[in-house]
Amino acid sequence: MAAGTARGVPGAVEAAAMAAGLPGTPGPGCGSPRPAAGPGERRREAGEAMSGGAGALPAVWGRGLHSTMLRGVARGARDTFTLLLARSQYCNPGLKVLSSRTEAPNRSFLTHSTYTADTKSREENKKTIESLYRLSVDVKKIRRLKEWVLLQEVAYVQEVAGILQEMGADEPAVANILERCPEAILRSPAEINAQRALWQLVCQNEKQLIKLIEQFPESFFTTGYHENQKANILFFQELGLKNNIITRFLTSAPNIFCSPVEKNKKVIETLQRNYLSLGGSDANMKVWILKLLSQNPFILLNTSTAIQENLEFLQKSDFSDQEVLQLLSKLKGFIFQLTPTTMQKSMLFSKNVFKCSDQELKELVLKCPALLYYSVPILEERLGGLLKEGISIAQIRETPMVLELTTQIVQYRIKKLSALGYNVKSGSLESLNGTKKDFEVNYGKIQSKKERPMFNPVAPLNTQD
């Protein structure tokens, strides 16, 4: 995934779709997953490169950026769309292409979420409109964003509102939920109560449940796959995942619950088997698996065959078993979203850029796994941004982790350091590196060092002379 995010997904997804999702709002459910943020971005907060008064930069992909950067963004957005479409098709085989939107066999949320202008009725349902007005819902907002909901002949406005109020939602909360996810009124009371029972398996009480619904209404109002959802919730509990982690999965990665539990079990078994074959211990295996899942639940969207192929590629690339385990831990499982072909292309690009041997390349990848994870267009764009600032290839090779930063963050940090008289062209890139918190600490040290007087007039004198 490309680009820095406020919350993964490096995420081309929250930068491109949500912005590559892609930082804050959840995916709408089984039909449209939200990929997790990428490993190198380290969840930098939004606005690091956009705030700071005089040091503020223009919006992401603003004018004046190099054409190479734009090509990288275009390709990243295209890849993101392809990933989202592929996953949605996996989780909902009936959701193929736009032309088949009305082919779904049942009246599920997924059916309505793909509804187009080809509706049976071209007039709004007056009863639905009146019921929404009585609940103080902003009908104009729904009409502007999802008018097709108002065209349906059957809706359950009062019933849905009643269930939400029964769970503890007040009138403003109900209105907010229905404005954000108007498809909810197309759910029957039986469907909503079935989903309610599922989520209660991991929620402490209905107060917590309604709070989650208010925050993530689209994730809750995903219908279908109830048996799969329940089986997967029970499986995750048996695996040892805490309920608060499972609720996070339900809200941010609901699509992983769509798969048959047998498929998810097979993926977990593949990870466990490979962990042991790579030298991991039985004592640490459970902790390793749970940590990997907590960091990136989207691992479960992969097939066991794809996981096996990626691990075999790393081994054929002369990484030792211990080094493969190290890469898996550093990349938090994102390596399984790649293919041997994309990894090979990224490694070849880095080898040509840094003009290094196979052994030196391997050391660079272990030092900076982003060289393995990011695609060639993204690496090309970030490398070009650094060179444009006057930074040399030798400096980048010495501190390759700087490639984990987006071009905008690099420009912002260089501008701040330059204001203190620090020259990154001749100094170490370590001052640029790290999370936002790391950078602020380094910046503070440089600032205090510059302001510190050469001679302290109140310091005691040495009178022994």
Side-chain angles (χ1 to χ4, degrees), residues 232-277:
N232 279 305
I233 287 174
L234 296 176
F235 169 60
F236 291 144
Q237 289 176 329
E238 291 171 5
L239 200 60
L241 283 169
K242 295 182 179 179
N243 284 342
N244 64 321
I245 301 294
I246 300 175
T247 55
R248 179 159 59 83
F249 289 177
L250 282 169
T251 55
S252 61
N255 46 315
I256 68 173
F257 294 87
C258 305
S259 304
V261 69
E262 293 76 17
K263 189 263 180 185
N264 285 338
K265 284 182 177 180
K266 192 171 182 180
V267 171
I268 295 298
E269 288 168 2
T270 300
L271 290 171
Q272 292 172 331
R273 184 174 63 253
N274 280 283
Y275 176 77
L276 295 175
S277 68

CSV table of all heavy atoms in Angstrom, one decimal, residues 232-277:
chain,number,residue,atom,x,y,z
A,232,ASN,N,-17.1,-18.1,13.0
A,232,ASN,CA,-15.7,-17.4,13.1
A,232,ASN,C,-15.5,-16.7,14.4
A,232,ASN,O,-14.4,-16.7,15.0
A,232,ASN,CB,-15.6,-16.4,11.9
A,232,ASN,CG,-15.2,-17.1,10.6
A,232,ASN,OD1,-14.2,-17.8,10.6
A,232,ASN,ND2,-16.0,-16.9,9.6
A,233,ILE,N,-16.6,-16.1,15.0
A,233,ILE,CA,-16.5,-15.5,16.3
A,233,ILE,C,-16.1,-16.5,17.3
A,233,ILE,O,-15.1,-16.3,18.1
A,233,ILE,CB,-17.8,-14.8,16.7
A,233,ILE,CG1,-18.0,-13.5,15.8
A,233,ILE,CG2,-17.8,-14.4,18.2
A,233,ILE,CD1,-19.3,-12.8,16.0
A,234,LEU,N,-16.8,-17.7,17.3
A,234,LEU,CA,-16.4,-18.7,18.3
A,234,LEU,C,-15.0,-19.3,18.0
A,234,LEU,O,-14.3,-19.6,19.0
A,234,LEU,CB,-17.5,-19.8,18.1
A,234,LEU,CG,-18.9,-19.5,18.5
A,234,LEU,CD1,-19.9,-20.6,18.2
A,234,LEU,CD2,-19.0,-19.0,20.0
A,235,PHE,N,-14.6,-19.4,16.8
A,235,PHE,CA,-13.3,-19.9,16.5
A,235,PHE,C,-12.2,-18.9,17.0
A,235,PHE,O,-11.2,-19.3,17.6
A,235,PHE,CB,-13.1,-20.0,15.0
A,235,PHE,CG,-11.7,-20.3,14.5
A,235,PHE,CD1,-11.0,-21.4,15.0
A,235,PHE,CD2,-11.1,-19.4,13.6
A,235,PHE,CE1,-9.7,-21.6,14.6
A,235,PHE,CE2,-9.7,-19.6,13.2
A,235,PHE,CZ,-9.1,-20.7,13.7
A,236,PHE,N,-12.4,-17.6,16.8
A,236,PHE,CA,-11.4,-16.6,17.3
A,236,PHE,C,-11.4,-16.7,18.8
A,236,PHE,O,-10.3,-16.5,19.4
A,236,PHE,CB,-11.8,-15.2,16.8
A,236,PHE,CG,-11.6,-15.0,15.3
A,236,PHE,CD1,-12.5,-14.2,14.6
A,236,PHE,CD2,-10.6,-15.6,14.6
A,236,PHE,CE1,-12.4,-14.0,13.3
A,236,PHE,CE2,-10.5,-15.5,13.3
A,236,PHE,CZ,-11.3,-14.6,12.6
A,237,GLN,N,-12.5,-16.9,19.5
A,237,GLN,CA,-12.5,-17.0,20.9
A,237,GLN,C,-11.7,-18.2,21.4
A,237,GLN,O,-10.9,-18.1,22.3
A,237,GLN,CB,-13.9,-17.0,21.5
A,237,GLN,CG,-14.7,-15.7,21.3
A,237,GLN,CD,-16.1,-15.7,21.8
A,237,GLN,OE1,-16.7,-16.8,21.6
A,237,GLN,NE2,-16.7,-14.7,22.3
A,238,GLU,N,-11.9,-19.3,20.7
A,238,GLU,CA,-11.2,-20.6,21.0
A,238,GLU,C,-9.7,-20.4,20.8
A,238,GLU,O,-8.9,-21.0,21.5
A,238,GLU,CB,-11.7,-21.7,20.2
A,238,GLU,CG,-13.1,-22.1,20.5
A,238,GLU,CD,-13.7,-23.1,19.6
A,238,GLU,OE1,-13.0,-23.6,18.6
A,238,GLU,OE2,-14.9,-23.5,19.7
A,239,LEU,N,-9.4,-19.6,19.8
A,239,LEU,CA,-8.0,-19.4,19.4
A,239,LEU,C,-7.2,-18.6,20.5
A,239,LEU,O,-6.0,-18.7,20.7
A,239,LEU,CB,-7.9,-18.6,18.1
A,239,LEU,CG,-6.6,-18.7,17.3
A,239,LEU,CD1,-6.2,-20.1,17.0
A,239,LEU,CD2,-6.7,-17.9,16.0
A,240,GLY,N,-8.0,-17.8,21.3
A,240,GLY,CA,-7.4,-17.0,22.4
A,240,GLY,C,-7.5,-15.5,22.2
A,240,GLY,O,-7.0,-14.8,23.0
A,241,LEU,N,-8.1,-15.1,21.1
A,241,LEU,CA,-8.3,-13.6,20.9
A,241,LEU,C,-9.3,-13.1,21.9
A,241,LEU,O,-10.3,-13.7,22.1
A,241,LEU,CB,-8.7,-13.3,19.5
A,241,LEU,CG,-7.7,-13.5,18.4
A,241,LEU,CD1,-8.4,-13.4,17.0
A,241,LEU,CD2,-6.7,-12.4,18.5
A,242,LYS,N,-8.9,-11.9,22.5
A,242,LYS,CA,-9.8,-11.3,23.4
A,242,LYS,C,-11.0,-10.7,22.7
A,242,LYS,O,-10.9,-10.3,21.6
A,242,LYS,CB,-9.1,-10.3,24.3
A,242,LYS,CG,-8.0,-10.9,25.1
A,242,LYS,CD,-7.3,-9.8,25.9
A,242,LYS,CE,-6.2,-10.4,26.8
A,242,LYS,NZ,-5.5,-9.3,27.6
A,243,ASN,N,-12.1,-10.6,23.4
A,243,ASN,CA,-13.3,-10.0,22.8
A,243,ASN,C,-13.1,-8.6,22.3
A,243,ASN,O,-13.8,-8.2,21.3
A,243,ASN,CB,-14.5,-10.0,23.8
A,243,ASN,CG,-15.0,-11.4,24.0
A,243,ASN,OD1,-14.8,-12.3,23.2
A,243,ASN,ND2,-15.8,-11.7,25.1
A,244,ASN,N,-12.3,-7.8,23.0
A,244,ASN,CA,-12.1,-6.4,22.5
A,244,ASN,C,-11.4,-6.4,21.1
A,244,ASN,O,-11.6,-5.5,20.3
A,244,ASN,CB,-11.4,-5.6,23.5
A,244,ASN,CG,-9.9,-6.1,23.7
A,244,ASN,OD1,-9.7,-7.3,23.8
A,244,ASN,ND2,-9.0,-5.2,23.9
A,245,ILE,N,-10.5,-7.4,20.9
A,245,ILE,CA,-9.9,-7.6,19.6
A,245,ILE,C,-10.9,-8.0,18.5
A,245,ILE,O,-10.9,-7.5,17.4
A,245,ILE,CB,-8.7,-8.5,19.7
A,245,ILE,CG1,-7.7,-8.1,20.7
A,245,ILE,CG2,-8.0,-8.7,18.3
A,245,ILE,CD1,-7.0,-6.8,20.3
A,246,ILE,N,-11.7,-9.0,18.9
A,246,ILE,CA,-12.7,-9.5,18.0
A,246,ILE,C,-13.7,-8.4,17.6
A,246,ILE,O,-14.1,-8.3,16.4
A,246,ILE,CB,-13.5,-10.7,18.6
A,246,ILE,CG1,-12.5,-11.8,18.9
A,246,ILE,CG2,-14.5,-11.2,17.6
A,246,ILE,CD1,-13.1,-13.0,19.5
A,247,THR,N,-14.1,-7.5,18.5
A,247,THR,CA,-15.0,-6.4,18.2
A,247,THR,C,-14.3,-5.4,17.2
A,247,THR,O,-14.9,-4.9,16.3
A,247,THR,CB,-15.4,-5.6,19.4
A,247,THR,OG1,-14.3,-5.2,20.2
A,247,THR,CG2,-16.3,-6.5,20.3
A,248,ARG,N,-13.0,-5.3,17.4
A,248,ARG,CA,-12.2,-4.4,16.5
A,248,ARG,C,-12.2,-5.0,15.1
A,248,ARG,O,-12.4,-4.3,14.1
A,248,ARG,CB,-10.8,-4.2,17.0
A,248,ARG,CG,-9.9,-3.4,16.1
A,248,ARG,CD,-8.8,-2.8,16.8
A,248,ARG,NE,-7.9,-3.8,17.4
A,248,ARG,CZ,-6.9,-4.4,16.6
A,248,ARG,NH1,-6.8,-4.2,15.4
A,248,ARG,NH2,-6.2,-5.3,17.2
A,249,PHE,N,-12.1,-6.3,15.0
A,249,PHE,CA,-12.2,-7.0,13.7
A,249,PHE,C,-13.6,-6.8,13.1
A,249,PHE,O,-13.7,-6.5,11.9
A,249,PHE,CB,-12.0,-8.5,13.9
A,249,PHE,CG,-10.6,-8.9,14.2
A,249,PHE,CD1,-10.2,-10.2,14.4
A,249,PHE,CD2,-9.6,-8.0,14.2
A,249,PHE,CE1,-9.0,-10.6,14.7
A,249,PHE,CE2,-8.3,-8.3,14.5
A,249,PHE,CZ,-8.0,-9.7,14.8
A,250,LEU,N,-14.7,-6.9,13.9
A,250,LEU,CA,-16.0,-6.8,13.4
A,250,LEU,C,-16.3,-5.4,12.8
A,250,LEU,O,-17.0,-5.2,11.8
A,250,LEU,CB,-17.0,-7.0,14.5
A,250,LEU,CG,-17.3,-8.5,14.9
A,250,LEU,CD1,-18.1,-8.6,16.2
A,250,LEU,CD2,-18.0,-9.2,13.8
A,251,THR,N,-15.6,-4.4,13.4
A,251,THR,CA,-15.9,-3.0,13.0
A,251,THR,C,-14.9,-2.6,11.8
A,251,THR,O,-15.3,-1.8,11.0
A,251,THR,CB,-15.7,-2.0,14.1
A,251,THR,OG1,-14.4,-2.2,14.8
A,251,THR,CG2,-16.8,-2.3,15.2
A,252,SER,N,-13.7,-3.1,11.9
A,252,SER,CA,-12.7,-2.6,10.9
A,252,SER,C,-12.4,-3.6,9.8
A,252,SER,O,-12.0,-3.2,8.7
A,252,SER,CB,-11.4,-2.2,11.6
A,252,SER,OG,-10.9,-3.3,12.2
A,253,ALA,N,-12.7,-4.9,10.0
A,253,ALA,CA,-12.4,-5.9,9.0
A,253,ALA,C,-13.6,-6.9,9.0
A,253,ALA,O,-13.3,-8.1,9.1
A,253,ALA,CB,-11.1,-6.6,9.3
A,254,PRO,N,-14.8,-6.5,8.8
A,254,PRO,CA,-15.9,-7.4,8.9
A,254,PRO,C,-15.9,-8.5,7.8
A,254,PRO,O,-16.5,-9.6,8.0
A,254,PRO,CB,-17.2,-6.5,8.7
A,254,PRO,CG,-16.6,-5.3,8.0
A,254,PRO,CD,-15.2,-5.1,8.5
A,255,ASN,N,-15.2,-8.2,6.7
A,255,ASN,CA,-15.2,-9.2,5.6
A,255,ASN,C,-14.5,-10.5,6.0
A,255,ASN,O,-14.8,-11.5,5.3
A,255,ASN,CB,-14.5,-8.6,4.4
A,255,ASN,CG,-13.2,-7.9,4.7
A,255,ASN,OD1,-13.2,-7.1,5.7
A,255,ASN,ND2,-12.2,-8.1,3.9
A,256,ILE,N,-13.6,-10.5,7.0
A,256,ILE,CA,-13.0,-11.8,7.3
A,256,ILE,C,-13.9,-12.8,8.0
A,256,ILE,O,-13.6,-14.0,8.0
A,256,ILE,CB,-11.8,-11.5,8.3
A,256,ILE,CG1,-12.2,-11.1,9.7
A,256,ILE,CG2,-10.8,-10.6,7.7
A,256,ILE,CD1,-11.1,-11.0,10.7
A,257,PHE,N,-15.1,-12.3,8.4
A,257,PHE,CA,-16.1,-13.2,9.0
A,257,PHE,C,-17.0,-13.8,8.0
A,257,PHE,O,-17.8,-14.7,8.3
A,257,PHE,CB,-17.0,-12.4,10.0
A,257,PHE,CG,-16.2,-11.9,11.2
A,257,PHE,CD1,-15.5,-10.7,11.2
A,257,PHE,CD2,-16.1,-12.6,12.4
A,257,PHE,CE1,-14.8,-10.2,12.3
A,257,PHE,CE2,-15.4,-12.2,13.5
A,257,PHE,CZ,-14.8,-11.0,13.4
A,258,CYS,N,-16.9,-13.4,6.7
A,258,CYS,CA,-17.7,-13.9,5.7
A,258,CYS,C,-17.3,-15.3,5.2
A,258,CYS,O,-18.1,-16.1,4.8
A,258,CYS,CB,-17.7,-13.0,4.4
A,258,CYS,SG,-18.2,-11.3,4.8
A,259,SER,N,-16.0,-15.5,5.3
A,259,SER,CA,-15.5,-16.8,4.9
A,259,SER,C,-15.9,-18.0,5.7
A,259,SER,O,-16.2,-17.8,6.9
A,259,SER,CB,-13.9,-16.8,4.9
A,259,SER,OG,-13.4,-15.7,4.1
A,260,PRO,N,-16.0,-19.1,5.2
A,260,PRO,CA,-16.3,-20.3,6.0
A,260,PRO,C,-15.2,-20.5,7.0
A,260,PRO,O,-14.1,-20.2,6.8
A,260,PRO,CB,-16.3,-21.5,5.0
A,260,PRO,CG,-16.6,-20.8,3.7
A,260,PRO,CD,-16.0,-19.5,3.7
A,261,VAL,N,-15.6,-20.9,8.2
A,261,VAL,CA,-14.6,-21.0,9.3
A,261,VAL,C,-13.5,-22.0,8.9
A,261,VAL,O,-12.4,-21.9,9.4
A,261,VAL,CB,-15.3,-21.4,10.6
A,261,VAL,CG1,-15.9,-22.8,10.6
A,261,VAL,CG2,-14.4,-21.2,11.8
A,262,GLU,N,-13.9,-23.0,8.1
A,262,GLU,CA,-12.9,-24.0,7.7
A,262,GLU,C,-11.7,-23.3,6.9
A,262,GLU,O,-10.6,-23.7,7.1
A,262,GLU,CB,-13.5,-25.1,6.9
A,262,GLU,CG,-14.5,-26.0,7.6
A,262,GLU,CD,-15.8,-25.3,7.8
A,262,GLU,OE1,-16.1,-24.3,7.2
A,262,GLU,OE2,-16.6,-25.8,8.7
A,263,LYS,N,-12.1,-22.3,6.1
A,263,LYS,CA,-11.0,-21.7,5.4
A,263,LYS,C,-10.1,-20.9,6.3
A,263,LYS,O,-8.9,-20.9,6.1
A,263,LYS,CB,-11.7,-20.7,4.3
A,263,LYS,CG,-10.8,-20.1,3.3
A,263,LYS,CD,-10.4,-18.7,3.8
A,263,LYS,CE,-9.4,-18.1,2.8
A,263,LYS,NZ,-8.9,-16.8,3.2
A,264,ASN,N,-10.7,-20.2,7.3
A,264,ASN,CA,-9.8,-19.4,8.2
A,264,ASN,C,-9.0,-20.3,9.1
A,264,ASN,O,-7.8,-20.0,9.4
A,264,ASN,CB,-10.7,-18.5,9.1
A,264,ASN,CG,-11.2,-17.3,8.3
A,264,ASN,OD1,-10.7,-16.9,7.3
A,264,ASN,ND2,-12.3,-16.7,8.8
A,265,LYS,N,-9.5,-21.5,9.4
A,265,LYS,CA,-8.8,-22.4,10.2
A,265,LYS,C,-7.6,-23.0,9.4
A,265,LYS,O,-6.5,-23.1,9.9
A,265,LYS,CB,-9.7,-23.6,10.6
A,265,LYS,CG,-10.6,-23.3,11.8
A,265,LYS,CD,-11.4,-24.6,12.1
A,265,LYS,CE,-12.3,-24.3,13.3
A,265,LYS,NZ,-13.1,-25.5,13.7
A,266,LYS,N,-7.8,-23.2,8.1
A,266,LYS,CA,-6.7,-23.7,7.3
A,266,LYS,C,-5.6,-22.7,7.2
A,266,LYS,O,-4.4,-23.0,7.2
A,266,LYS,CB,-7.3,-24.0,5.9
A,266,LYS,CG,-6.3,-24.8,5.0
A,266,LYS,CD,-7.0,-25.3,3.7
A,266,LYS,CE,-6.0,-26.1,2.9
A,266,LYS,NZ,-6.7,-26.6,1.6
A,267,VAL,N,-5.9,-21.4,7.1
A,267,VAL,CA,-4.9,-20.3,7.0
A,267,VAL,C,-4.1,-20.3,8.3
A,267,VAL,O,-2.9,-20.2,8.3
A,267,VAL,CB,-5.5,-19.0,6.7
A,267,VAL,CG1,-4.5,-17.9,6.9
A,267,VAL,CG2,-6.1,-18.9,5.3
A,268,ILE,N,-4.8,-20.4,9.4
A,268,ILE,CA,-4.1,-20.4,10.7
A,268,ILE,C,-3.2,-21.6,10.9
A,268,ILE,O,-2.1,-21.5,11.3
A,268,ILE,CB,-5.1,-20.4,11.9
A,268,ILE,CG1,-5.9,-19.1,11.9
A,268,ILE,CG2,-4.4,-20.6,13.2
A,268,ILE,CD1,-5.1,-17.8,12.1
A,269,GLU,N,-3.7,-22.8,10.5
A,269,GLU,CA,-2.9,-24.0,10.5
A,269,GLU,C,-1.6,-23.9,9.6
A,269,GLU,O,-0.5,-24.3,10.0
A,269,GLU,CB,-3.7,-25.2,10.1
A,269,GLU,CG,-4.8,-25.6,11.1
A,269,GLU,CD,-5.8,-26.6,10.5
A,269,GLU,OE1,-5.6,-27.0,9.3
A,269,GLU,OE2,-6.7,-27.0,11.2
A,270,THR,N,-1.8,-23.2,8.5
A,270,THR,CA,-0.6,-23.0,7.6
A,270,THR,C,0.4,-22.1,8.3
A,270,THR,O,1.6,-22.4,8.2
A,270,THR,CB,-1.1,-22.4,6.3
A,270,THR,OG1,-2.0,-23.2,5.6
A,270,THR,CG2,0.1,-22.1,5.3
A,271,LEU,N,0.0,-21.0,8.9
A,271,LEU,CA,0.9,-20.1,9.6
A,271,LEU,C,1.6,-20.9,10.8
A,271,LEU,O,2.8,-20.7,11.0
A,271,LEU,CB,0.1,-18.9,10.1
A,271,LEU,CG,-0.4,-17.9,9.1
A,271,LEU,CD1,-1.4,-16.9,9.7
A,271,LEU,CD2,0.7,-17.2,8.4
A,272,GLN,N,0.8,-21.6,11.5
A,272,GLN,CA,1.4,-22.4,12.6
A,272,GLN,C,2.4,-23.4,12.2
A,272,GLN,O,3.5,-23.5,12.7
A,272,GLN,CB,0.3,-23.1,13.4
A,272,GLN,CG,-0.7,-22.2,14.1
A,272,GLN,CD,-1.8,-22.9,14.7
A,272,GLN,OE1,-2.3,-24.0,14.2
A,272,GLN,NE2,-2.4,-22.4,15.8
A,273,ARG,N,2.1,-24.1,11.1
A,273,ARG,CA,3.0,-25.1,10.6
A,273,ARG,C,4.3,-24.5,10.1
A,273,ARG,O,5.4,-24.9,10.4
A,273,ARG,CB,2.4,-25.9,9.4
A,273,ARG,CG,3.2,-27.0,8.9
A,273,ARG,CD,2.5,-27.8,7.9
A,273,ARG,NE,2.1,-27.0,6.7
A,273,ARG,CZ,0.8,-26.7,6.5
A,273,ARG,NH1,-0.2,-27.0,7.3
A,273,ARG,NH2,0.5,-26.0,5.4
A,274,ASN,N,4.2,-23.3,9.4
A,274,ASN,CA,5.4,-22.7,8.9
A,274,ASN,C,6.2,-22.0,10.0
A,274,ASN,O,7.4,-21.9,9.9
A,274,ASN,CB,5.0,-21.6,7.8
A,274,ASN,CG,4.7,-22.2,6.5
A,274,ASN,OD1,5.6,-22.5,5.7
A,274,ASN,ND2,3.5,-22.4,6.1
A,275,TYR,N,5.5,-21.5,11.0
A,275,TYR,CA,6.2,-20.9,12.1
A,275,TYR,C,7.2,-21.9,12.8
A,275,TYR,O,8.3,-21.7,13.1
A,275,TYR,CB,5.3,-20.4,13.1
A,275,TYR,CG,5.9,-19.8,14.4
A,275,TYR,CD1,6.5,-18.6,14.4
A,275,TYR,CD2,5.9,-20.5,15.6
A,275,TYR,CE1,7.1,-18.0,15.5
A,275,TYR,CE2,6.5,-20.0,16.7
A,275,TYR,CZ,7.1,-18.8,16.7
A,275,TYR,OH,7.7,-18.3,17.8
A,276,LEU,N,6.6,-23.1,13.0
A,276,LEU,CA,7.4,-24.2,13.6
A,276,LEU,C,8.6,-24.7,12.7
A,276,LEU,O,9.7,-24.9,13.1
A,276,LEU,CB,6.5,-25.4,14.0
A,276,LEU,CG,5.5,-25.1,15.1
A,276,LEU,CD1,4.6,-26.3,15.3
A,276,LEU,CD2,6.2,-24.7,16.4
A,277,SER,N,8.3,-24.8,11.4
A,277,SER,CA,9.3,-25.2,10.4
A,277,SER,C,10.4,-24.2,10.2
A,277,SER,O,11.5,-24.6,9.9
A,277,SER,CB,8.7,-25.5,9.1
A,277,SER,OG,8.2,-24.3,8.4
